[in-house]
Amino acid sequence: MRSGCTISQCFHRVLNSICKLQDTFFARPVPIGEECTDSRWRWFKGCLGALDRTYIDVRVPNLENGHYRTRKGHITVNVLGVCNMNMQFIYVLTSWEGSVADIRVLRDAITRSNGLRVPTGKYYLCDNRYTNGDGFLPHTEVLDTTLGNGIVTQWDLKIRMSYSI
């Protein structure tokens, strides 16, 4: 005997229940302070965590495959994940299907009424596919002429600037 509930309705009931428990499943963003002794994070005072996007394979009706198809032919949904320094989720956005630019997903996350918030003077670490604007510090390679003409990253430069202060 079949239930009167479709899979989609059941899925949304479970999802809504999980959303009600968000304080249990999601951590609050806490900036890294002066007292931090973790060798990986102590250089990033004021950092709230790190963010990145990934694809998750999904199954959708054949008529909708085109919307979810990536440039490599996979049927996926985009997921933006934001974690704190303890690898606990702060924010997750799963509403984009198929291939979409990282910055477009991030822009959606920060413009939603219940979206990702970055307090003034704080920031998230991200890769170079994201903006180098207020609240985000992308990891990019730059030519460093003052430290031996080698390739270093912006994060490396931030660490070295912390030593000199």
Side-chain angles (χ1 to χ4, degrees):
M1 181 160 114
R2 296 183 65 165
S3 74
C5 184
T6 67
I7 292 173
S8 177
Q9 289 170 331
C10 291
F11 175 81
H12 281 93
R13 282 185 190 162
V14 171
L15 183 61
N16 287 332
S17 298
I18 290 172
C19 288
K20 290 178 183 175
L21 296 171
Q22 70 180 358
D23 289 336
T24 303
F25 291 126
F26 288 94
R28 297 271 182 219
V30 177
I32 296 172
E34 295 293 328
E35 69 284 350
C36 181
T37 58
D38 187 321
S39 62
R40 295 168 297 172
W41 289 95
R42 66 181 174 184
W43 316 108
F44 302 104
K45 307 298 185 226
C47 178
L48 297 167
L51 63 90
D52 203 0
R53 184 185 58 99
T54 189
Y55 293 112
I56 295 181
D57 291 338
V58 294
R59 294 181 121 177
V60 296
N62 287 338
L63 293 173
E64 296 181 29
N65 275 355
H67 297 290
Y68 290 84
R69 190 174 311 279
T70 66
R71 61 185 177 82
K72 294 184 178 180
H74 301 279
I75 308 301
T76 66
V77 66
N78 276 286
V79 177
L80 173 69
V82 183
C83 293
N84 64 14
M85 66 181 268
N86 297 318
M87 298 304 290
Q88 298 168 315
F89 281 105
I90 296 170
Y91 182 82
V92 176
L93 176 66
T94 62
S95 64
W96 286 87
E97 63 271 356
S99 290
V100 180
D102 289 355
I103 189 64
R104 189 169 179 194
V105 176
L106 179 60
R107 187 179 312 121
D108 181 35
I110 60 178
T111 58
R112 289 175 176 244
S113 61
N114 61 345
L116 180 64
R117 298 289 172 254
V118 185
T120 304
K122 308 299 181 213
Y123 62 95
Y124 288 101
L125 299 175
C126 56
D127 63 33
N128 62 356
R129 295 176 300 210
Y130 294 97
T131 182
N132 190 14
D134 290 341
F136 302 96
L137 179 63
H139 180 262
T140 57
E141 292 184 349
V142 295
L143 183 61
D144 177 21
T145 57
T146 62
L147 299 171
N149 290 333
I151 299 294
V152 297
T153 67
Q154 283 184 338
W155 293 353
D156 292 334
L157 292 176
K158 184 169 177 58
I159 291 170
R160 291 177 185 178
M161 288 187 314
S162 297
Y163 274 129
S164 64
I165 295 176

